Amino acid sequence: MTTANDLSQLTAKAAAFIGGEKGLFIDGEWRAPRSGETLPVIDPSSGREVGRIAQASADDVDAAVASARRALEDPAWARMKPHQREEIMLRLAELIRAEAPSLAEIETVNSGKLIANTRLFDVDLSVHTLRYMAGWATKLHGETMDLAVPYAPDMRFNGFTRRFPAGVVAAIMPWNVPLCQAVWKLAPVLATGCTVILKPSELTSLTALRLAELCDEAGITPGVVNVVTGTGEVTGKALIEHPGVDKINFTGSTRVGQFIAEQAAPAFKHYNLELGGKSPLIIAEDADLEKAIPGAAWAIYGNSGQNCCAGSRVLIHEKHFDRVVAGVADIAASIRLGPGLDPASMMGPLVGAAHRARVAEHVERARSAGGEVIGGEIVEGDGSYFTPAIVTGLDHGHPTAQQEIFGPVLCAFPFKDDEEALQLANDTAFGLGASIWTRGLATANRYFERLKAGTVWINTHNILDLSLPFGGTKQSGVGFELGREGVMSHTVLRAGVMLVDE
């Protein structure tokens, strides 16, 4: 097994960017961090350093927020016509499309993901996101209405509403889909006329920095888009606590989401939180197993299980339990681990050694509790590889079955009827996604109505579309990204009343 990416395969543009000097993008300029501190960029396939990024301090964050505030009130941006914002977004989409090969390579080296996935889900989906959201720039309208005003019967009033930009947005992204998450957060900002400070994960910052260069090339007004890199404990915390931020858009852990809510409440800041998940995948008695078995396998093993709505709990009708477990185990055993740049690889490494250690700890806790584990082993040698696992025989309340692992670990449970399946499915602190696999329309409707999740898939899993809102319930978050809801959450509504002279 070849474990390390062959960096000699990279295009010259990708290689130069990965190894080149990187600063902070503030007010349309590249700046060195005031502290001079930097952080390593690690290739997860080898564990080796391939570059460095800036560590932004609180002072750097302050400069980025000030830049975004100035741009929000700059007539060049504030008075820009909606169709002009649309044109800029479409121009940025085309620049990303043109840079697709190098962007995918940069993302693969930085994140460990398969090159096919970084091309499809980071680059191509980013292009589609910008194109979809660009259309909203010219469709942000209010309403007009005749008012009753019963206490002034002899006077006539018209009422109307308008939508305005929510203001300066702090957008904090995770490391699992780095470029696409950055664009998901950037696109509604541009469509609505807000301004933004993007803070990528310190593990996967490279494509956000390249995105900043493309924003500049697209002609976006300086200060509208700022990118600061650094750790969550320093850079992220300074951004969350900054009084000049009007809205926080965060994707990541529930723990950090709770901190954001605590910090935002006293200042009445707006926020969207897309947090953790422990999504159930339910295989009903009448399911088509030829589709459900591979569906269950790739719902958890896709992207090495590093998906917020991965199907990490599979609930199987007892009649099919042994067959489904054996089928998923066979697929897991057939998965070829390898570096993301190798087109023969079916699953890449986890994002880093520290994360792999946390995933492995969950598996060991399951073994110690009497669970039967197939797979789930650390691969010795270079890189942070971990074999896909399926766990049976655990109590459903065990931490491995309840906590988000964010790795290729599937917990399987049998159920005897729909009531038990629904009880198990909803028996979690999370509520991001869920899927039901069935041939029956009535069964599908019954589960759709009773599953406590932001998205319910039927005979599929992990399918997202830009026109559908994406978000969760319970500890999976607050608010939505994508769709109309994702756009409108970046606006504030203002009501007007006008006296009509008769």
Side-chain angles (χ1 to χ4, degrees), residues 15 21 63 108 111 130 185 251 270 280 310 314 338 375 407 414 431 438 456 490 498:
E21 184 178 349
T108 289
S111 69
L130 284 162
K185 289 172 168 48
T251 299
H270 296 247
V314 58
T438 176
V456 176
H490 288 75
M498 179 183 293

Side-chain angles (χ1 to χ4, degrees), residues 111-151:
S111 69
K113 295 166 60 177
L114 302 182
I115 188 72
N117 288 350
T118 57
R119 176 60 189 264
L120 184 62
F121 296 109
D122 283 287
V123 181
D124 292 350
L125 193 53
S126 291
V127 173
H128 289 305
T129 299
L130 284 162
R131 289 173 175 168
Y132 170 81
M133 288 289 180
W136 276 106
T138 57
K139 298 170 183 66
L140 302 173
H141 56 78
E143 297 178 310
T144 61
M145 63 209 79
D146 292 328
L147 302 182
V149 194
Y151 52 82

Side-chain angles (χ1 to χ4, degrees), residues 64-126:
V65 174
S67 166
R69 178 63 58 189
R70 286 193 300 272
L72 186 68
E73 299 170 1
D74 183 346
W77 181 247
R79 297 181 184 176
M80 184 178 286
K81 301 290 187 182
H83 77 276
Q84 293 173 315
R85 294 201 306 273
E86 179 182 24
E87 289 169 359
I88 284 177
M89 294 176 70
L90 293 174
R91 189 153 61 241
L92 178 59
E94 285 307 299
L95 289 171
I96 292 174
R97 186 191 62 77
E99 294 293 320
S102 63
L103 281 167
E105 290 178 343
I106 292 166
E107 197 75 284
T108 289
V109 171
N110 197 181
S111 69
K113 295 166 60 177
L114 302 182
I115 188 72
N117 288 350
T118 57
R119 176 60 189 264
L120 184 62
F121 296 109
D122 283 287
V123 181
D124 292 350
L125 193 53
S126 291

Side-chain angles (χ1 to χ4, degrees), residues 368-383:
S368 299
E372 181 179 340
V373 180
I374 303 171
E377 302 288 347
I378 288 176
V379 178
E380 298 299 329
D382 294 336

Side-chain angles (χ1 to χ4, degrees), residues 3-5 41-48 50 107-113 203-204 339 348-353 382-385:
T3 58
N5 282 315
V41 175
I42 304 298
D43 176 357
S45 76
S46 64
R48 292 192 287 270
V50 292
E107 197 75 284
T108 289
V109 171
N110 197 181
S111 69
K113 295 166 60 177
L203 299 178
T204 54
L350 298 180
V351 75
D382 294 336
S384 50
Y385 293 93

Side-chain angles (χ1 to χ4, degrees), residues 166-201:
V168 174
V169 179
I172 303 174
M173 291 87 71
W175 45 257
N176 61 324
V177 195
L179 177 60
C180 191
Q181 280 284 339
V183 172
W184 274 21
K185 289 172 168 48
L186 172 63
V189 163
L190 299 178
T192 57
C194 294
T195 59
V196 69
I197 304 97
L198 296 173
K199 192 278 178 195
S201 166

Side-chain angles (χ1 to χ4, degrees), residues 107-435:
E107 197 75 284
T108 289
V109 171
N110 197 181
S111 69
K113 295 166 60 177
L114 302 182
I115 188 72
N117 288 350
T118 57
R119 176 60 189 264
L120 184 62
F121 296 109
D122 283 287
V123 181
D124 292 350
L125 193 53
S126 291
V127 173
H128 289 305
T129 299
L130 284 162
R131 289 173 175 168
Y132 170 81
M133 288 289 180
W136 276 106
T138 57
K139 298 170 183 66
L140 302 173
H141 56 78
E143 297 178 310
T144 61
M145 63 209 79
D146 292 328
L147 302 182
V149 194
Y151 52 82
D154 298 327
M155 304 175 74
R156 183 182 173 193
F157 299 91
N158 285 345
F160 55 94
T161 62
R162 274 188 63 189
R163 291 189 175 274
F164 292 86
V168 174
V169 179
I172 303 174
M173 291 87 71
W175 45 257
N176 61 324
V177 195
L179 177 60
C180 191
Q181 280 284 339
V183 172
W184 274 21
K185 289 172 168 48
L186 172 63
V189 163
L190 299 178
T192 57
C194 294
T195 59
V196 69
I197 304 97
L198 296 173
K199 192 278 178 195
S201 166
E202 63 269 30
L203 299 178
T204 54
S205 294
L206 295 187
T207 48
L209 295 169
R210 183 71 182 105
L211 176 63
E213 292 182 340
L214 296 178
C215 286
D216 190 42
E217 188 176 342
I220 295 174
T221 304
V224 170
V225 180
N226 306 271
V227 180
V228 294
T229 56
T231 63
E233 292 80 1
V234 176
T235 313
K237 186 172 183 289
L239 196 51
I240 290 164
E241 295 176 342
H242 201 288
V245 168
D246 299 305
K247 174 183 171 67
I248 302 169
N249 191 349
F250 171 77
T251 299
S253 72
T254 297
R255 177 184 59 81
V256 176
Q258 290 168 336
F259 174 75
I260 290 171
E262 291 168 358
Q263 296 300 310
F268 295 97
K269 290 182 182 179
H270 296 247
Y271 55 82
N272 282 80
L273 306 174
E274 197 267 280
L275 309 176
K278 196 69 176 178
S279 300
L281 184 149
I282 305 159
I283 299 178
E285 183 177 7
D286 67 344
D288 182 345
L289 298 188
E290 295 303 314
K291 296 179 180 177
I293 290 173
W298 290 109
I300 182 62
Y301 300 141
N303 201 32
S304 303
Q306 299 172 137
N307 290 320
C308 53
C309 47
S312 52
R313 291 181 299 143
V314 58
L315 312 178
I316 310 162
H317 190 277
E318 59 187 9
K319 171 180 175 181
H320 304 307
F321 187 78
D322 290 343
R323 179 180 170 187
V324 171
V325 168
V328 173
D330 286 345
I331 292 172
S334 72
I335 293 175
R336 183 183 188 275
L337 301 182
L341 291 179
D342 184 348
S345 298
M346 300 171 68
M347 195 169 90
L350 298 180
V351 75
H355 180 58
R356 181 178 68 172
R358 288 191 291 270
V359 174
E361 181 182 0
H362 268 290
V363 172
E364 289 309 309
R365 290 169 72 183
R367 284 195 179 101
S368 299
E372 181 179 340
V373 180
I374 303 171
E377 302 288 347
I378 288 176
V379 178
E380 298 299 329
D382 294 336
S384 50
Y385 293 93
F386 191 80
T387 63
I390 182 166
V391 181
T392 59
L394 272 187
D395 181 89
H396 193 261
H398 188 274
T400 299
Q402 288 290 324
Q403 297 175 9
E404 184 175 46
I405 299 174
F406 226 62
V409 180
L410 178 63
C411 294
F413 300 92
F415 66 85
K416 63 181 183 297
D417 55 31
D418 289 346
E419 285 302 315
E420 184 180 14
L422 283 161
Q423 187 276 323
L424 289 171
N426 292 329
D427 181 24
T428 171
F430 299 107
L432 189 56
S435 64

